[in-house]
Amino acid sequence: MPPRPRPSLAAALATALVAALLVLLPGSTTARAAPVLLSQGKPATASSIEGAGTPASAAVDGDNGTRWSSQFADPQWIQVDLGAAAQLSQVVLHWETAHARAYRIELSTDGSNWTTAHSTAAGTGGVQTLDITGTARHVRVYGTQRATAWGYSLWEFQVYGTTDTGPTLPGGGDLGPNVIVFDPSTPGIQARLDQVFQQQESAQFGSGRYQFLFKPGTYNGLNAQIGFYTAVSGLGLSPDDTTINGDVTVDAGWFNGNATQNFWRSAENLALNPVNGTDRWAVSQAAPFRRMHVRGGLNLAPNGYGWASGGYIADSKIDGQVGNYSQQQWYTRDSSIGGWSNGVWNQVFSGTQGAPAQGFPNPPYTTLDTTPVSREKPFLYLDGDDYKVFVPAKRVNARGTSWGNGTAPQGSSVPLSQFYVVKPGASAATINQALAQGLHLLFTPGVYHVDRTIQVNRPGTVVLGLGLATIVPDNGVTAMKVGDVDGVRLAGFLIDAGPVNSPSLLEVGPAGTTTDHAADPTTVQDVFIRVGGAGPGRATLGMVVNNHDTIVDHTWIWRADHGDGVGWETNRSDYGFRVNGDDVLATGLFVEHFNKYDVQWNGERGRTIFFQNEKAYDAPNQAAIQNGSVKGYAAYQVADSVNVHEGWGLGSYCYYNVDPTIRQEHGFQAPVKPGVRFHDLLVVSLGGNGQYEHVINGTGAPTSGTSTVPSTIVSFP
């Protein structure tokens, strides 16, 4: 093999001088983010060395004329032990010619368990200055793809930060004033329920947030009416541990019998004996009904039937019939029902015992015998007098509930002492410190403004919200990012865009990751995204999923069509949901009103079971939505590069009320390949306000006239 070219010592010194200037120049990013060089002279180890003259220690000796170099193979790593935990802010890599094309910066507190702080598949070599966030004692560069035929070689590997990590944050503690806990002997339960409902019934964009928790036992004669930003849950390990002889009710009296705006509320982990034999849960988006046992029927329509726009049931048992009535669409997963009445446009079932037979489009039932992969949402419960969070296990080809039949639930319990209980006023820096300490997060009800990204970088971290806890990013930051790690659980909170445009609001995994997470995927459940409505909000992209194998189980990603701060450019947000990872599964995907594509799917082997969409109402004219030569942006686009993708029960609606003459080429766009398959698609023009010319690509009949009749496709291609 011919000898490799080497930079001259002069070149190396010039590189060092440039790096020094980067550190010293006033106002530079490095000066702000890298106050102290922590790595120099510290113990370093590596996966391999090229020879005795290129040890790992040479990369942390402060000498730009010495270097570490690995053997000529992938993968390789070098790591440094800082000697104590430090709050990190920056890593600077001085690469030799033999540099990394793809690599990760990984952090660890113990030298064994690693989280990803930075990942790239487009490394350029030279001097790379990387801003990172996290607390760690051990830092490593993990190379997965070489840029040359040689190994990996670093003149210097520099880690900056501070050893002043602040006082250790405590876990556990009280749940704050807006978590209201009852036991069967609590006086005045109905009065307290009524007081909160009176405040929250019509507070669609208010700041109030409430969580009701019922300790195990039996409660008599209650009617818990559930308004905006209100969640009600039982504290047993099984729904049958907490019985209400009464109702948990959502109706639409506040909106004259129209339930299409009954958003942002939930019921979970309770058994109900409805007073009149049937409970009422008349909701639309972002109102999950999880882990419930209704010992009777369930009515999904408001009093007088009215209108309703779709919802979600999971892991629940309804002994009687579910009355669908006016619900335009609905998704029911891994449940047991006594029957189902009628359907409007799009009713989807997976893993549901008692579900109606496949019948789309007439009746409009899409029925899958099982759910391919599922894992129920984590939930708070009482073990004696101690609060714990139960983290359910993954299920494959699930059917029916995860509880009942006398069997113990599968999963693990985490004591509250291992959670940082986040309360209003907590800063993003404090939240990140808690995560870096190894604590999980339990957000109590409230609105949280964050001036920097919440970084979830530890495998298995649970981030659980109570009472629709709401995170608002300030200064255009991304509200939350998840690292390239296994088993993160995000559940039960709302991210609300701030007035300064964020590039994205939630990122699950770094761009370019290649890690397989199939054994222990990240789950995103009842995590809702909002742009506008409560005030001015802007974000280029709502949620992006980069990590492979992620499960997104019930989300509503919504660019507001009403409320404050609403207008075609006022709450601009071009893209709702983007999937770059492979083997991602979405169960219960609601995405609406984005300026361009609502869903973009770039990863391989993606699957969606149930999709509900409305195109943006407020497009001012045809030109505003024109996509090159195509009329409008599809609601759901699968990239031309994708070879395998599948979807069941997907619907898109248009209501271009500003300019009813707008034509939308199609609701769905996908490459025509044997591995790309769709089942039970529909598009609808609401009252003739705009029209679809096709359902998917150039296939499917156009909608027409003012009658709200779907155009359907049973199978594509």
Side-chain angles (χ1 to χ4, degrees):
M1 178 181 290
R4 285 187 284 158
R6 304 286 188 200
S8 67
L9 181 60
L13 291 173
T15 299
L17 178 60
V18 170
L21 287 172
L22 287 172
V23 173
L24 296 173
L25 281 174
S28 73
T29 301
T30 306
R32 291 194 303 271
V36 179
L37 176 60
L38 302 172
S39 54
Q40 190 162 309
K42 297 296 172 60
T45 55
S47 54
S48 69
I49 59 173
E50 182 181 359
T54 58
S57 59
V60 293
D61 61 1
D63 183 348
N64 280 280
T66 63
R67 63 185 178 88
W68 162 72
S69 183
S70 77
Q71 295 179 358
F72 303 170
D74 294 315
Q76 301 288 341
W77 53 262
I78 180 172
Q79 68 186 54
V80 61
D81 181 351
L82 303 177
Q87 185 69 45
L88 306 181
S89 58
Q90 194 170 80
V91 167
V92 179
L93 303 176
H94 300 241
W95 291 104
E96 195 239 3
T97 302
H99 65 279
R101 179 74 63 209
Y103 66 92
R104 303 190 295 269
I105 304 297
E106 297 183 328
L107 311 180
S108 176
T109 57
D110 58 10
S112 298
N113 298 295
W114 298 90
T115 62
T116 300
H118 174 83
S119 177
T120 183
T124 58
V127 178
Q128 292 185 291
T129 301
L130 310 171
D131 291 335
I132 63 170
T133 301
T135 298
R137 172 174 171 170
H138 305 268
V139 183
R140 76 178 177 187
V141 181
Y142 193 98
T144 57
Q145 182 185 353
R146 292 165 291 147
T148 71
W150 305 297
Y152 298 84
S153 185
L154 283 165
W155 294 107
E156 283 294 295
F157 169 26
Q158 298 175 318
V159 179
Y160 292 88
T162 174
T163 55
D164 180 14
T165 58
T168 300
L169 295 170
D174 72 272
L175 300 179
N178 285 5
V179 176
I180 302 161
V181 183
F182 300 126
D183 65 44
S185 65
T186 302
I189 295 176
Q190 186 65 57
R192 188 72 172 107
L193 293 168
D194 291 345
Q195 178 189 19
V196 171
F197 177 67
Q198 184 177 11
Q199 176 182 319
Q200 298 300 115
E201 180 183 13
S202 59
Q204 184 172 177
F205 298 110
S207 59
R209 303 287 187 273
Y210 292 91
Q211 174 77 56
F212 291 116
L213 297 175
F214 286 83
K215 293 183 179 181
T218 300
Y219 300 78
N220 295 313
L222 295 181
N223 181 19
Q225 299 182 84
I226 306 302
F228 285 100
Y229 312 109
T230 305
V232 57
S233 306
L235 284 171
L237 195 54
S238 166
D240 289 327
D241 293 341
T242 309
T243 296
I244 293 178
N245 292 318
D247 297 272
V248 172
T249 302
V250 177
D251 206 342
W254 74 278
F255 202 43
N256 300 315
N258 182 344
T260 59
Q261 293 183 22
N262 279 354
F263 313 139
W264 304 308
R265 63 201 75 197
S266 68
E268 186 173 352
N269 205 31
L270 293 164
L272 306 178
N273 288 312
V275 171
N276 296 317
T278 300
D279 191 55
R280 186 184 301 279
W281 189 254
V283 298
S284 289
Q285 292 79 14
F289 197 81
R290 284 188 183 268
R291 201 177 170 81
M292 296 287 286
H293 185 187
V294 181
R295 299 170 184 155
L298 184 65
N299 187 339
L300 303 180
N303 186 28
Y305 301 108
W307 298 270
S309 186
Y312 173 92
I313 293 171
D315 201 28
S316 294
K317 187 174 190 295
I318 293 92
D319 294 345
Q321 179 169 273
V322 179
N324 180 74
Y325 304 114
S326 59
Q327 282 289 354
Q328 296 165 355
Q329 63 275 316
W330 197 277
Y331 176 51
T332 306
R333 179 183 63 73
D334 297 353
S335 294
S336 174
I337 60 177
W340 190 275
S341 74
N342 80 292
V344 180
W345 295 329
N346 193 30
Q347 320 293 313
V348 179
F349 309 84
S350 69
T352 299
Q353 298 166 338
Q358 172 73 30
F360 188 89
N362 186 23
Y365 299 144
T366 299
T367 303
L368 286 72
D369 189 58
T370 62
T371 303
V373 185
S374 57
R375 185 165 56 192
E376 299 308 327
K377 175 186 172 187
F379 60 91
L380 192 68
Y381 77 103
L382 275 174
D383 183 2
D385 293 328
D386 298 326
Y387 283 107
K388 295 182 177 179
V389 171
F390 190 77
V391 184
K394 186 181 76 170
R395 305 171 74 195
V396 177
N397 295 323
R399 181 169 173 82
T401 64
S402 68
W403 53 272
N405 302 317
T407 58
Q410 299 298 302
S412 59
S413 292
V414 183
L416 190 64
S417 61
Q418 295 182 22
F419 282 79
Y420 178 61
V421 179
V422 192
K423 296 176 182 175
S427 68
T430 300
I431 293 168
N432 279 331
Q433 182 185 342
L435 289 166
Q437 282 181 207
L439 294 172
H440 306 275
L441 298 179
L442 182 71
F443 279 90
T444 63
V447 179
Y448 298 84
H449 285 264
V450 295
D451 61 355
R452 66 190 71 178
T453 300
I454 297 170
Q455 302 276 358
V456 184
N457 289 325
R458 183 173 57 86
T461 301
V462 177
V463 180
L464 179 62
L466 300 179
L468 278 294
T470 301
I471 302 169
V472 182
D474 293 331
N475 305 321
V477 301
T478 296
M480 185 177 292
K481 293 183 180 181
V482 175
D484 188 8
V485 296
D486 280 352
V488 171
R489 322 291 177 95
L490 308 181
F493 55 90
L494 169 66
I495 297 177
D496 197 2
V500 179
N501 187 74
S502 294
S504 62
L505 295 175
L506 173 62
E507 294 185 12
V508 181
T513 175
T514 59
T515 309
D516 187 323
H517 297 291
D520 190 9
T522 286
T523 52
V524 182
Q525 300 176 284
D526 301 346
V527 173
F528 309 123
I529 305 289
R530 182 171 70 194
V531 183
R538 296 174 66 91
T540 302
L541 172 62
M543 182 191 304
V544 59
V545 177
N546 294 314
N547 275 355
H548 301 321
D549 310 293
T550 301
I551 301 169
V552 179
D553 177 46
H554 189 227
T555 186
W556 186 37
I557 304 172
W558 186 60
R559 176 182 167 267
D561 61 281
H562 63 274
D564 293 331
V566 172
W568 183 249
E569 296 294 344
T570 305
N571 61 328
R572 181 86 194 189
S573 190
D574 284 348
Y575 310 104
F577 181 63
R578 180 180 294 159
V579 178
N580 297 320
D582 295 339
D583 301 292
V584 172
L585 171 65
T587 51
L589 180 61
F590 299 73
V591 188
E592 298 190 298
H593 305 149
F594 287 83
N595 294 77
K596 293 184 178 178
Y597 291 114
D598 298 279
V599 171
Q600 291 179 295
W601 209 295
N602 302 318
E604 283 288 359
R605 297 176 300 279
R607 293 176 290 185
T608 297
I609 304 173
F610 181 87
F611 171 67
Q612 186 266 327
N613 165 263
E614 285 179 343
K615 294 301 298 174
Y617 292 175
D618 54 346
N621 49 51
Q622 187 75 46
I625 65 161
Q626 194 69 14
N627 181 14
S629 62
V630 178
K631 299 174 185 175
Y633 291 81
Y636 189 110
Q637 181 213 33
V638 179
D640 288 343
S641 60
V642 170
N643 294 306
V644 178
H645 187 90
E646 194 159 11
W648 296 263
L650 284 65
S652 177
Y653 321 139
C654 71
Y655 184 67
Y656 289 116
N657 61 335
V658 175
D659 182 359
T661 68
I662 289 175
R663 309 288 292 189
Q664 177 81 25
E665 187 117 345
H666 42 230
F668 302 90
Q669 178 186 337
V672 181
K673 299 178 181 179
V676 178
R677 297 176 293 172
F678 288 92
H679 316 273
D680 302 354
L681 300 176
L682 66 94
V683 295
V684 180
S685 169
L686 302 181
N689 289 276
Q691 302 290 344
Y692 290 94
E693 295 184 344
H694 303 285
V695 179
I696 181 168
N697 297 354
T699 302
T703 57
S704 61
T706 58
S707 60
T708 305
V709 176
S711 177
T712 61
I713 292 286
V714 173
S715 181
F716 179 88

